[in-house]
Each structure stands twice: as structure tokens, then as C-alpha cells.
Amino acid sequence: MANRQTEEKITALYERLSRDDDVAGDSNSILNQKRYLESYAKQRGYTNIVHYTDDGCSGGNFERPGWKRLVADIEAGKVAHLLCKDLSRIGRNYLQTGFYTEIMFRQYGVHFIAVANNIDSDEQESSEFAPFLNIMNEWYLRDQSKKVAAAYRVKGKAGKPTSNSAIYGYKKDPEDKDHWLVDEEAAAVVRRIFRLAVEGHGPYEISKMLTAEKVECPGYYLAKQRAKKKKQGKKSGTSMLDKNRPYDWYGNTVSTLLERPEYMGHTVNFRSSKKSYRDKRVKNAPEDWLIFENTHEAIVDPETWQLAQQVKRTVRRTDTTGVANPFTGLVFCADCGAKMYNHRGRHTRSDGREYGSDTYNCSTYCLTIERETKQCFSHSVSTKALTELVLETIRTTASYAIQNKEEFIQKVRSISQVRQQEAVKELKRKVAKAKKRIAELDMLIKKLYETYAMGKLEEKRFEMLSTEYEKEQDELEQALASDQTNLDQFNEDTDRADKFLALAKKYTDFSELTAPMINEFVEKIVVHAPDRSTGERIQEIEIYLKFIGKFDVPMPEPTPEELAAEEKRRQKRIRDHEKYLRQKERKKKIAEGQIVPGEPYALVCQCCGESFHSIRPNAKFCNISVFSGDSLRTYVPRDTSEGWRD
């Protein structure tokens, strides 16, 4: 019965080929391994043969599809014999290979044969040298790994791309495999992604838009390109082409594309690494990357790339309107420095009419307004007023810069020089002070050591003092290095005025404030608390523009007509405010029961002092008595025919 069960089990023939084995020629090819093992099985009379194959898989990794299927069949009790060409085909990790050959195969009663090594598990003497073969196989893999890693480092440090394929948006140059060319079809999608990001759309939102528009995702697009090359007879990878999900874009995919400096024309090497060939590859920190600038044609310019990073870092939440506020992350309180919150909503008046509100206010004030220890105070400003002010600032500054180029550049440079001189003066004082203290500490440490060497100071005391001095010296040296770096940056000639001019010339229409315009022009907006000392609500708002900061455009003196129009507007504001106060007072009297809506008001005549009733709350005279010059004229109500009388 046992023999019949054994005969019903399969004879497994396992073949593996890695890229490193290609150097050995065709002797290790999958086809030759199959012929070799089939011939041996036939000589031994083994039947029911099943092949398990891993093509292009490393021996240092046991996560191979063919091997995992073989192990599953062994654990299910389906395998009677297992044949391979040699032990290195099983694997090159001597610990794991030894586990399978010495423990697992015996546990499940599998007859194992490594033909070329003359190893047969039924013959105990033949397996005595197997551990040494496994160690030699791993040594070979370790040696190959060192050679590949060394070549990888040399190539990466030479500024050549270390990735096997070009990233989405590029393709390899047919004449130089280490040079990338722009793939215009994919590059158009990349440019659009960056444009949408600059407009304020997040990665998740962009991915939904691309999916809805049926834009091919990078994985599908690249696999399709490889399939075309393979069809044309060119060598290509073996990526699977999933035809069922060609338009599946994900927020993480878009986010990764936006973070790649390669789109500025740079080569970025050593994004990931691993300590040993046994370990999994891990991502390196950005400061450990090696970046070579301007090695291939750029798809997006550096300004757009930097702007996309800035916008991407700002969290934008949509409210019930479904639209994120474009000023998110740009508006700050002038008093506490906190960000200002945007408040939108719908409200209902007493007469049932609805109206909307859209304002900004200090987040510190909003979060602590109901606490006993309220912090900061209201800085409320309407989004409409903010939008108009920002648009006017951008329009006037850009127009002035373009029309008065030389004067604008000189003004920006003069402002920059004043700021630099103040900052440089302070930094120079700090640097000089730090250098002086470091020199003093060097002298103190030297004298301390001499005192200790002469036996005048205990060892414990010496160690304590020297440790303190060295710690202070290290801290000073770090601070000095940072200050010196800042000082060097101040000395660099950066023409910010030209950058702003180039930005201003990009736009020809300043009639409407758009999200890209805000993100490209505005650095930050600082809102001050309103001032009511003059009887009017006046609020200062500082707008800092990219490259030039807070810039005051020289304005011409207002004309008499403009002054008259402004005075007219001021008088209207006063009248509107008085009307508001009257309405507020009326509501208060209604609440207190002094006034019943719909009934005449009980008033006192300012002429004769008699009480009278009127439907107008602001009536001052009974029978509407008025003064005309030196005489009093009284108007008789309309139910009489007398009219005016003296």
C-alpha cells in the first residue's frame, strides 16, 4: 500500500536561473537544466515528472513563485523525489538551504538529489560534504553582491542613473542608455499634474480627475511601452500588462511624481540602500541622496517644482461648498503669529432671508473665545476684501515693475541692502564673540591639563571641568558653523527683482485673482487688529510677495476728484453706521417692551414739549414743526387744506 502511494506521488524537477548565472553561458540555461534532469530521472526510472521553474530569480531570496509552489506541494505530501542540477539551484543562503535539505525534506520523506554534486539523501556518505558546498555557494553570492554593489556605487557617483528604467515622462536614449530623453506623451501628463498642483489641487483630487478622464496610469503606460518593444523584437522587461485596470491613478502615485527632482532635469542616485544582500532595500533620507543637476532635459522648471512642493505641504480642506479656500496657509495674525481660520456659512435674517458669510479670523482667538483665559482678540476680515486687496497689490506691483524696470530693481536692491546690512552686522558680532570664546576655551583646557599633569588637580575634578569646557566648545562651534553659513548666504548675489519681473511677465490678465496667481505671487499675508479710534473701522493688512517681500509701490498724489469721491464714500459709511446704531437701539427697545412693532411711537415735540404719536421713530416736532430763519413755521397735517402757516 505504501509503495503504491509512493508511486502515485510526483517527481519534482526544480530549475532556477538568475541574471548572475548568465555569465556562465548556456550551460545553466533553464532549457539545459530541464534536459539534464529529465535524462537523469529517466535513467533512474522516476515517473510522474513535474517541473518547478524560477527564471530570473536570485538564489539569495527564497520568495520565488516556483519554489513556493514546490514547498506547498511538499507540505501537502505530493512529492516523493526532488531533483536539481546542484545545491546552488536550491539557493545560495547556506542556513536556509541547509534547513530545507537537512530538516524539511527529511521531515516530509522527500528523496532529494543534487545531481552534479553527487548528493543523494538516501546515501548518507554523499551528504557529508553538503554543508561546505552550501557555504561556498553563499560565499559566491556574497562575492558577487560586493562586486555589483561596488559597480553600482561607481556608476552612481559618476552621475549616471542607477535605475533599470527611466521614470514616467522620460525614455532611454537609444544611442546612450545612461541618458534620458523626454517622452512627450507622458511628459504632457506630468506637466498637467504639476499645473493642477500649483492651482491648489491635492494629490488625491488630481488622481480622481485623471482616472475620470481615462488617462493611462504610469504602470500601465510603461508596461505597454515594453510590450511594444518586445513586439518589435527589442529586449525588454517582463512586466505584466494589466488590461483590466489601465486608468487606476492613486493619490500616492501623484504625490511620488510631484516629489521627484528628476523632472527639473536632475539625476538622483542612492534613493535606497541595504546593508547586506540578505536585507530588504530601505529608503534613504533625502540628505543622503546624490543629485547631479542638469543632466537631461527638464519637464518642469525649478520655480514650478518648488511651488508645487510648497502647495503640497499645505493641507487644504473643502467645506460644504466643495471648494478649498485659496488663501489656506497664507494668512497670519499680526499679534500672536498664528494662522487665521477661514469661516464660511449660511445665516438667516429675522425676515427669513438667507445670506452667506466668508471671513478670516485669528485661530488663537477662535479657539479660546469661550475660555476664561481668552487669548489674543478678533482680527476678522472678509475674504472678499482680502481678495480685492491682494489682487490690487499684485496688479499695481507687477505693472510698476514692468513699466519702471530699472527703478524697480534699484528699489528692491536698496531695500535688500539695508536689511542685509542690519542682519550682517548682528551676525558678525555673534561670529566674533563665538570665535573669541572658543579661543578662550582652548587656553583654559590647555592650562587645566598642565595643572592636572603637575599633580595640582584631582583626576575627578579634571574630568568634570574638561568635559564642561569641551561641551561648551562643541556647542559654540556648531552655532558658529550655522552663523557662518548664514553670513555666506547674505554675501551671495541673488537678483530677486529679476525673478519677480519674470514672474510678472508670465501673466497678461490681472482682472481676476486665481489660485495659481496666489500661490506664485503671495508669500504671506499679515492681518492686524482693526482700529476704531477715529470713529471708523480701519484695518491694516500687510501683503508679502515672493522674492521682494513687502513692497510699497510709489503712488501719485490723489486728484481733487478722487478726494471728493473718497469723502463721499466716508460720509456714506458714517450714515450707514448711524442707521445700524438706530436699528440696534430699536431692537433693544422692542426686546425690553418699550416699542411694539406696528404701533405709532410715543414722542416729545422738541419745539413745544408736548407729547405726540408718529409712525416715524425719528420725528422731532408735533405736526412736523420746523424752523425757517428766525420764524417758526408749522405744517398742518394732510387731512387739512391749510398747508404751511407762520
Side-chain angles (χ1 to χ4, degrees), residues 582-583 585-587 589-590 594-605 610-621:
R582 288 196 303 270
Q583 291 175 345
E585 181 66 22
R586 182 174 184 274
K587 289 179 181 179
K589 289 183 178 181
I590 291 174
Q594 299 180 24
I595 297 175
V596 178
E599 294 185 3
Y601 295 91
L603 304 171
V604 177
C605 180
E610 297 292 332
S611 298
F612 70 100
H613 289 81
S614 175
I615 61 172
R616 296 195 306 161
N618 59 341
K620 299 180 180 179
F621 306 104

Side-chain angles (χ1 to χ4, degrees), residues 61 64 88 99 122 176 201 209 251 260 291 378 407 443-444 456 469 471 506 597:
N61 178 16
R64 313 172 221 141
S88 66
F99 164 75
D122 287 349
D176 182 1
H201 300 283
M209 295 168 65
R260 283 191 170 273
I291 301 178
S378 177
E407 185 179 342
M443 187 62 68
L444 286 171
K456 296 180 180 180
Y469 287 153
K471 181 182 178 182
K506 283 177 58 177

